[in-house]
């Protein structure tokens, strides 16, 4: 309890130091028209408070840093200046001397016999310091060589460089007493929930419990480095057949809950390459590699790096892009992946109606509870911006659209949106003419193939062609048949319970398959197009005869 009281005083001191309570209350409850660059007077005033909030979070440590990073993914809840500033949170703190890291050095074993009386006796500060030094030395002796000066310092961990088995390694070590501090902070934030609701002044669409749960889950993953080791091995397996993308190899025998030993990547951070005097063609090549690899993570693997900023990607001498720091990852299931692919397809093909329905499906919303007419109008503006906008950032803020119509988008969608915006921001700095859409299409086609569903296959056929051409009507027919086939899957379960209707549905399924296959051959069969024509005509004839018999 004393620890929590002390931390309460520390949090209060920092809040008053930056005069945050009155300024936050004013800024977060003031509604005004903003612009994407946040250059109007109100934006600039808000930005001053946002800078103070960022500095306060950095001073308060890991729990508050994670809260700020989570805020940066919620432009539907906080003004744009805060979103921008929270994305600039720097997780760099004063390094802890290596001897003080001793409690986290659980790879080292110092066997010292002590009597029961000695174990119970309270140690002096000199004795405790000597014990820490012995444990630190035992840890260093595990390696061929080890530099006790950290090469990177964060509020969660410090990273060191060493040599192991003749190869350079990076060693990530958790800071001591971290879990105790985080647990106290989470308890304080839980106490502050009513105040946060009052200050933030958000509507019913904001679930503060879910917001704090997301922070708790992020921190839980990051304070156990075994989880990060699993993430790295999973990424490494996903990219084992990709030549120009890599992930550091881990040394599992030298990893634990507090220590992660991995290959040291010799490379240049992407954020540093932006201002380097390299040919633009080379920088453009990096943007293609980064984008394709990230789209693969999302739409093919369903498992992606959730914090892909310019410091978490390195370019090696052979132009290989290496992703590092896998403490924050995300995953999406096939259902959400499929819905997002259909939504992307609709926006790319300027299909307002399908994009509107796709957006409702992503949010799990019932069209009867939404003003679909207004949503369709807003969706038309979004699609126009995606397809005809000027050069620059093309990704739009779907979270705001969800808030406007009270559509609660899944947390995975918001996390992924922020990650893709980070990727797009980095790539735009490397190449001002970068356009994510032109690179995305072939990757998304592969994603459609992997989903391997009737609807997905039909969408793949459409996606590989231009939105409008002489075969548009035929493609529309295929789409309609695919939609019907999706409905048949649900109806087929009922058929199994009704024997007398089984034969009817078997004919329907056969007929639908015949239509799709015949249409595909007709479109792409070249010299064998007559086979598709015959099959398509036969399917229609069978359908007409069956319909007449049904009457």
């Amino acid at each position: 309890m004393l620890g929590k009281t002390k931390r309460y005083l520390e949090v209060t001191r920092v809040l008053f130091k930056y005069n945050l309570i009155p300024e936050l209350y004013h800024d977060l409850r003031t509604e005004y028209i903003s612009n994407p660059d946040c250059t109007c007077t109100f934006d600039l005033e808000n930005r001053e408070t946002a800078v103070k909030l960022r500095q306060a979070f950095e001073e308060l440590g890991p729990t508050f840093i994670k809260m700020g990073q989570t805020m940066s993914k919620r432009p539907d809840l906080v003004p744009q200046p805060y979103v921008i500033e929270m994305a600039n949170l720097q997780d760099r703190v004063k390094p802890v001397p290596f001897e003080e890291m001793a409690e986290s050095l659980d790879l080292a074993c110092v066997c010292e016999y002590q009597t029961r009386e000695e174990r119970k006796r309270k140690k002096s500060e000199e004795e405790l310091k000597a014990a820490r030094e012995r444990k630190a030395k035992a840890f260093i002796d595990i390696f061929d060589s080890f530099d006790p000066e950290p090469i990177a310092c964060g509020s969660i961990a410090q990273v060191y460089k060493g040599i192991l088995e003749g190869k350079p390694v990076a060693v990530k070590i958790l800071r001591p007493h971290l879990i105790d501090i985080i647990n106290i902070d989470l308890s304080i934030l839980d106490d502050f929930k009513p105040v946060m609701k009052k200050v933030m002044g958000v509507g019913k669409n904001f679930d503060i419990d879910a917001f704090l749960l997301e922070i708790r889950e992020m921190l839980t993953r990051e304070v156990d480095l075994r989880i990060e080791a699993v993430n790295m091995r999973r990424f490494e397996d996903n990219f084992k057949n990709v030549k120009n993308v890599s992930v550091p190899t881990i040394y599992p025998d030298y990893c634990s809950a507090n220590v992660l030993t991995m290959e040291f990547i010799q490379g240049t951070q992407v954020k540093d390459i932006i201002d380097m005097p390299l040919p633009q063609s080379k920088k453009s090549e990096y943007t293609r590699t980064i984008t394709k690899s990230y789209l693969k993570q999302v739409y093919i693997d369903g498992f992606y790096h959730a914090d892909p900023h310019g410091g978490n990607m390195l370019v090696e001498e052979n132009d290989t892009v290496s992703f590092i720091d896998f403490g924050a990852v995300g995953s999406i299931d096939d259902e959400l992946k499929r819905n997002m692919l259909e939504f992307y397809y609709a926006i790319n093909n300027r299909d307002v109606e399908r994009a509107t329905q796709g957006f409702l499906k992503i949010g799990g919303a019932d069209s009867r509870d939404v003003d679909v007419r207004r949503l369709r109008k807003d969706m038309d503006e979004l699609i126009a911006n995606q397809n005809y906008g000027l050069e620059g950032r093309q990704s739009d803020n779907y979270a705001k659209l969800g808030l406007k119509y009270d559509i609660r988008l899944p947390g995975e969608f918001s996390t992924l949106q922020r990650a893709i915006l980070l990727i797009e921001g980095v790539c735009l700095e490397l190449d001002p003419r970068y356009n994510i859409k032109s690179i995305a299409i072939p990757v998304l086609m592969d994603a459609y193939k992997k989903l391997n569903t009737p609807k997905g296959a039909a969408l793949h056929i459409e996606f590989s062609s231009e939105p409008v051409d002489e075969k548009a009507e035929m493609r529309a027919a295929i789409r309609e048949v695919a939609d019907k086939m999706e409905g048949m899957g649900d109806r087929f379960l009922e058929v199994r319970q009704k024997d007398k209707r089984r034969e009817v549905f078997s004919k329907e399924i056969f007929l639908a398959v015949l239509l799709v296959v015949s249409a595909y051959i007709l479109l792409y069969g070249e010299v064998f197009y007559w086979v598709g024509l015959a099959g398509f005509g036969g399917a229609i004839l069978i359908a007409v005869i069956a319909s007449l018999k049904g009457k």
Side-chain angles (χ1 to χ4, degrees), residues 26-27 30-34 38-48 79 81-82:
H26 174 267
D27 289 356
T30 301
E31 295 184 1
Y32 62 92
I33 299 173
S34 180
C38 295
T39 54
C40 71
T41 303
F42 281 113
D43 279 328
L44 294 175
E45 290 177 358
N46 273 10
R47 190 65 180 267
E48 292 178 6
Y82 284 83

Side-chain angles (χ1 to χ4, degrees), residues 277-303:
L278 293 175
Q280 186 56 54
S281 59
K282 181 65 68 176
K283 292 182 178 181
S284 298
E285 178 186 337
Y286 297 151
T287 65
R288 287 191 295 272
T289 299
I290 292 169
T291 303
K292 287 182 178 180
S293 65
Y294 204 74
L295 290 169
K296 176 187 182 302
Q297 292 175 37
V298 174
Y299 292 108
I300 295 179
D301 302 331
F303 185 68

Side-chain angles (χ1 to χ4, degrees), residues 266-485:
Q266 296 282 0
T268 306
Q269 291 182 331
V270 169
K271 67 178 183 179
D272 295 331
I273 290 178
I274 293 169
D275 297 323
M276 291 176 64
L278 293 175
Q280 186 56 54
S281 59
K282 181 65 68 176
K283 292 182 178 181
S284 298
E285 178 186 337
Y286 297 151
T287 65
R288 287 191 295 272
T289 299
I290 292 169
T291 303
K292 287 182 178 180
S293 65
Y294 204 74
L295 290 169
K296 176 187 182 302
Q297 292 175 37
V298 174
Y299 292 108
I300 295 179
D301 302 331
F303 185 68
Y304 58 91
H305 196 302
D307 193 23
H309 59 72
N312 280 342
M313 292 179 284
L314 304 177
V315 177
E316 301 178 57
E317 287 186 0
N318 61 357
D319 293 332
T320 294
V321 175
S322 182
F323 287 84
I324 61 172
D325 194 355
F326 290 85
V329 298
S331 61
I332 55 176
D333 56 31
D334 280 352
E335 181 182 1
L336 180 57
K337 194 189 306 180
R338 184 180 298 109
N339 291 340
M340 290 171 62
L341 285 167
E342 292 178 7
F343 182 57
Y344 187 94
Y345 156 77
I347 289 178
N348 179 66
N349 285 274
R350 310 189 265 291
D351 188 335
V352 176
E353 181 59 34
R354 183 169 285 246
T356 302
Q357 295 303 319
F359 190 71
L360 291 171
K361 192 181 293 186
I362 288 173
D366 191 326
S367 58
R368 292 170 295 185
D369 300 329
V370 177
D371 187 342
V372 177
R373 185 176 179 182
R374 286 181 59 209
L375 176 59
R376 194 181 291 117
K377 182 179 179 181
D378 286 340
M379 190 63 67
D380 182 62
E381 292 180 3
L382 184 148
I383 289 174
N385 181 63
Q386 290 280 327
N387 287 280
Y388 307 113
L390 302 177
E391 289 181 358
R393 190 182 295 276
Q394 293 294 310
S395 295
D396 225 314
N397 187 2
Y398 306 114
K400 287 183 178 178
L401 200 60
L403 182 69
K404 181 175 180 179
Y405 292 96
D406 198 23
I407 299 173
R408 182 171 294 178
L409 299 172
E412 299 92 336
F413 186 85
S414 299
T415 301
L416 179 58
Q417 183 190 1
R418 175 183 177 272
I420 290 179
L421 286 173
L422 284 174
I423 286 286
E424 194 174 21
V426 169
C427 290
L428 277 169
E429 289 191 271
L430 284 170
D431 181 3
R433 302 190 66 176
Y434 168 82
N435 188 326
I436 191 171
K437 177 183 167 184
S438 62
I439 302 174
I441 290 177
V443 180
L444 296 184
M445 286 171 62
D446 287 341
Y448 281 127
K449 291 179 183 178
K450 184 165 184 178
L451 283 174
N452 195 28
T453 63
K455 191 167 187 177
L459 285 171
H460 167 58
I461 294 170
E462 293 179 283
F463 202 83
S464 63
S465 306
E466 290 298 317
V468 180
D469 60 23
E470 67 276 8
K471 297 175 182 176
E473 293 184 4
M474 183 65 73
R475 286 196 299 275
I478 296 174
R479 182 169 62 234
E480 184 177 353
V481 171
D483 289 339
K484 289 181 179 179
M485 287 180 68

